[in-house]
Amino acid sequence: IIELQDVWKIYKMGSVEVPALRGVNLKIHKGSFVAVMGASGSGKSTCMNMIGCLDVPTKGKVYLDGQDVSLMSESALAQIRGRKIGFVFQTFNLIPTLTALENVMLPMTFQNIPKHKREKRARELLEMVELGDRTGHKPGELSGGQQQRVAISRALSNDPELVLADEPTGNLDSKMGVEVMSFLSRLNKEEGKTVVMVTHDSNGAKHAEMIHKLMDGRIVGSEVGEGQ
Amino acid sequence: IIELQDVWKIYKMGSVEVPALRGVNLKIHKGSFVAVMGASGSGKSTCMNMIGCLDVPTKGKVYLDGQDVSLMSESALAQIRGRKIGFVFQTFNLIPTLTALENVMLPMTFQNIPKHKREKRARELLEMVELGDRTGHKPGELSGGQQQRVAISRALSNDPELVLADEPTGNLDSKMGVEVMSFLSRLNKEEGKTVVMVTHDSNGAKHAEMIHKLMDGRIVGSEVGEGQ
Ligand SMILES: Nc1ncnc2c1ncn2[C@@H]1O[C@H](COP(=O)(O)OP(=O)(O)OP(=O)(O)O)[C@@H](O)[C@H]1O
Ligand SMILES: Nc1ncnc2c1ncn2[C@@H]1O[C@H](COP(=O)(O)OP(=O)(O)OP(=O)(O)O)[C@@H](O)[C@H]1O
Ligand SMILES: [Mg+2]
Ligand SMILES: [Mg+2]
């Protein structure tokens, strides 16, 4: 479903070059559950941005369902991002002026779903992450872990086939973290969604079928997880 | 050094009341290393804001070195926060338009420290969290865990006697997380700083001398840690 071929990302800061990804080769098959681990600064979020077509490589190619992403129009890409990909950002990226419910409803607006359906689905998603009693709170009126959970619900709002979760449990206690991991596992096993998760939690990573290790912008190892 | 007496924090949202803290009693002695744990939404950050004099209770009292904080002038409080308390925020709160170095130098500006000394100390603090080669990056040019480490360095910028760290390792891989925990432990054992840390990591919490468990806005248990 997604393939990265010799992907490089080099940030230029004046005369200095910062290589965030240095030749990443990665194939993510439809319906798989993949974990990406690695030290802080090793390139995981940059890699996720490539997979989610949110950024373009400096060198190398990204293929989405066999199509070269660099040859697609911005509107075609926007359609795909809106309908097929759900992204849980490491820093949440919630809209501060909207409530939790409105934040989760937002992606559905672009798919022309009627309001009463958007609201019903958003409520269900928030209840699934135990925020049924926080729907009217704005991000600033929520705890860090609650904001993270709203970000998770929002990513699932359009029922995407590909879920990209960048450290989805970093702000959660172990019990809630385990619930989120099982939730992602169920989306994969029962709903057939492709799930790619960046995590620092090696116990959480075990839920995956495959764990890739990133180091200094390169994949240095891949091992089979327990989530077969 | 810090005492919370029957502290309540009740947020009012229209006709709804959200009790974030419901009668918290807590004494933090000078030079101790305390961990606070609890489920997402249980009141940990709210509790830290009380300890750090960043917020006022709805009911109850906060004493800082024996003085009732509600009787202190805003300028006296600002002085204390600037000089005596270093706060690592759960969402970092870095200034997006300043570089990592400038962000770490900022708190020292208000203490009239000359520029060359501010810059030298800021560099040393960033090197301690392995960001010596990222000093010129703005927060948007840093990974999530790198932003978290800048926030840690900034909290230590004025060499405060009280360090409040709200989930300081949430975005860090286990190796860097262990380094930060040992760093906090050293600040306590070797420099005599009082450290209060919110963490979801029970292994990290063991570094503390005392672990308080928060649930639904109340302290429901306290146990001795291994950091004696
Ligand atoms: N401004 C606000 N208005 C209304 N409710 C609020 C506000 N700020 C926080 N809350 C609520 O107060 C409760 C405690 O929040 P707090 O941020 O202290 O939790 P926490 O223990 O730090 O959680 P986490 O581990 O997720 O960071 C939460 O249920 C939250 O929804
Ligand atoms: N806009 C940018 N300009 C310059 N350098 C950048 C930029 N964005 C990221 N970097 C650098 O690229 C490297 C990889 O960043 P990335 O966010 O992918 O790391 P990460 O593995 O997600 O780390 P973490 O676990 O801390 O979130 C980092 O060293 C970072 O400093
Ligand atoms: Mg990252
Ligand atoms: Mg918190």
Side-chain angles (χ1 to χ4, degrees):
Chain A
I1 187 170
I2 299 267
E3 187 173 352
L4 269 60
Q5 269 187 15
D6 194 41
V7 165
W8 286 72
K9 181 70 187 182
I10 302 173
Y11 291 107
K12 293 185 181 53
M13 301 180 68
S15 57
V16 179
E17 286 198 341
V18 178
L21 295 179
R22 300 194 286 156
V24 169
N25 290 294
L26 190 60
K27 246 190 198 141
I28 295 168
H29 302 282
K30 199 164 165 58
S32 58
F33 187 170
V34 172
V36 176
M37 298 188 74
S40 168
S42 57
K44 304 178 299 294
S45 296
T46 307
C47 188
M48 291 290 266
N49 289 341
M50 295 299 158
I51 297 170
C53 308
L54 288 172
D55 196 4
V56 281
T58 312
K59 295 189 238 175
K61 293 271 177 220
V62 178
Y63 294 93
L64 182 59
D65 288 337
Q67 290 191 48
D68 181 345
V69 168
S70 62
L71 302 177
M72 297 168 95
S73 67
E74 182 48 38
S75 61
L77 269 173
Q79 271 291 322
I80 288 173
R81 277 185 228 124
R83 270 194 286 120
K84 291 193 169 193
I85 303 175
F87 209 123
V88 186
F89 295 97
Q90 186 170 3
T91 48
F92 323 148
N93 299 2
L94 299 177
I95 312 277
T97 48
L98 300 183
T99 62
L101 194 77
E102 290 165 342
N103 263 289
V104 178
M105 284 167 70
L106 195 58
M108 286 186 262
T109 320
F110 304 113
Q111 304 306 326
N112 299 320
I113 297 172
K115 187 172 185 195
H116 67 278
K117 287 200 174 183
R118 294 203 305 269
E119 199 168 315
K120 177 166 185 288
R121 178 162 173 82
R123 263 185 215 291
E124 290 168 352
L125 287 166
L126 287 168
E127 277 164 14
M128 245 189 267
V129 290
E130 298 187 25
L131 290 178
D133 60 353
R134 288 285 181 275
T135 53
H137 287 230
K138 296 197 181 74
E141 296 164 332
L142 291 170
S143 78
Q146 289 169 342
Q147 292 175 38
Q148 187 156 40
R149 286 181 269 158
V150 175
I152 292 167
S153 298
R154 184 183 66 175
L156 299 171
S157 149
N158 275 326
D159 200 26
E161 16 178 290
L162 173 63
V163 180
L164 303 178
D166 195 348
E167 298 189 38
T169 60
N171 283 277
L172 302 176
D173 54 282
S174 20
K175 178 164 176 291
M176 183 58 69
V178 164
E179 282 177 41
V180 165
M181 286 296 177
S182 320
F183 183 30
L184 290 173
S185 205
R186 274 203 316 279
L187 289 174
N188 175 249
K189 300 275 169 294
E190 294 173 20
E191 295 184 34
K193 292 191 191 306
T194 308
V195 178
V196 183
M197 166 180 82
V198 168
T199 183
H200 283 312
D201 170 20
S202 39
N203 280 328
K206 294 201 181 105
H207 282 80
E209 301 159 347
M210 182 67 78
I211 305 170
H212 296 295
K213 288 222 165 60
L214 211 58
M215 185 167 144
D216 295 331
R218 289 197 175 108
I219 294 187
V220 297
S222 301
E223 54 179 78
V224 170
E226 291 168 25
Q228 294 295 346
Chain B
I1 188 170
I2 298 267
E3 188 174 349
L4 269 60
Q5 269 187 13
D6 193 42
V7 165
W8 286 72
K9 183 70 187 182
I10 302 171
Y11 290 107
K12 292 187 182 49
M13 301 179 69
S15 56
V16 178
E17 286 198 343
V18 178
L21 295 179
R22 299 194 286 156
V24 170
N25 289 295
L26 190 60
K27 246 191 200 140
I28 295 168
H29 302 282
K30 198 163 166 56
S32 58
F33 186 170
V34 173
V36 176
M37 298 188 75
S40 169
S42 57
K44 305 178 298 295
S45 297
T46 306
C47 188
M48 292 289 268
N49 289 341
M50 294 300 158
I51 296 170
C53 308
L54 287 170
D55 196 5
V56 281
T58 311
K59 294 189 239 175
K61 293 272 177 219
V62 179
Y63 294 93
L64 182 59
D65 287 338
Q67 290 190 47
D68 181 346
V69 167
S70 61
L71 302 177
M72 296 168 95
S73 67
E74 183 48 36
S75 63
L77 270 174
Q79 270 292 321
I80 287 173
R81 277 186 229 123
R83 271 194 286 120
K84 291 194 171 196
I85 302 175
F87 209 122
V88 186
F89 295 96
Q90 187 170 2
T91 49
F92 324 147
N93 299 1
L94 299 177
I95 313 278
T97 47
L98 299 183
T99 63
L101 194 78
E102 290 164 342
N103 262 288
V104 178
M105 285 166 69
L106 196 58
M108 286 185 263
T109 319
F110 304 114
Q111 303 306 326
N112 298 318
I113 296 174
K115 187 172 186 197
H116 68 278
K117 286 198 174 185
R118 294 204 304 272
E119 199 169 314
K120 178 166 184 289
R121 177 161 173 82
R123 264 185 214 290
E124 289 168 355
L125 286 166
L126 286 168
E127 277 165 13
M128 245 189 268
V129 290
E130 298 187 25
L131 290 178
D133 60 353
R134 289 285 182 273
T135 53
H137 288 229
K138 295 199 182 75
E141 297 164 333
L142 292 169
S143 79
Q146 290 169 340
Q147 291 174 39
Q148 188 157 39
R149 284 181 269 157
V150 175
I152 292 166
S153 298
R154 184 183 65 175
L156 299 171
S157 150
N158 276 326
D159 199 25
E161 14 177 292
L162 173 64
V163 179
L164 303 178
D166 196 346
E167 297 189 38
T169 61
N171 283 277
L172 302 176
D173 53 281
S174 19
K175 178 163 177 291
M176 183 58 68
V178 163
E179 282 178 38
V180 165
M181 285 296 176
S182 320
F183 183 30
L184 290 174
S185 203
R186 273 203 318 279
L187 289 173
N188 175 249
K189 299 276 170 293
E190 294 173 19
E191 295 184 34
K193 292 192 191 305
T194 308
V195 178
V196 183
M197 166 180 81
V198 167
T199 184
H200 282 313
D201 170 19
S202 39
N203 280 327
K206 295 200 182 105
H207 282 82
E209 299 160 348
M210 182 66 78
I211 305 169
H212 296 296
K213 287 223 166 60
L214 211 59
M215 184 167 144
D216 294 329
R218 288 198 176 108
I219 293 187
V220 296
S222 300
E223 53 180 79
V224 170
E226 291 167 25
Q228 294 295 349

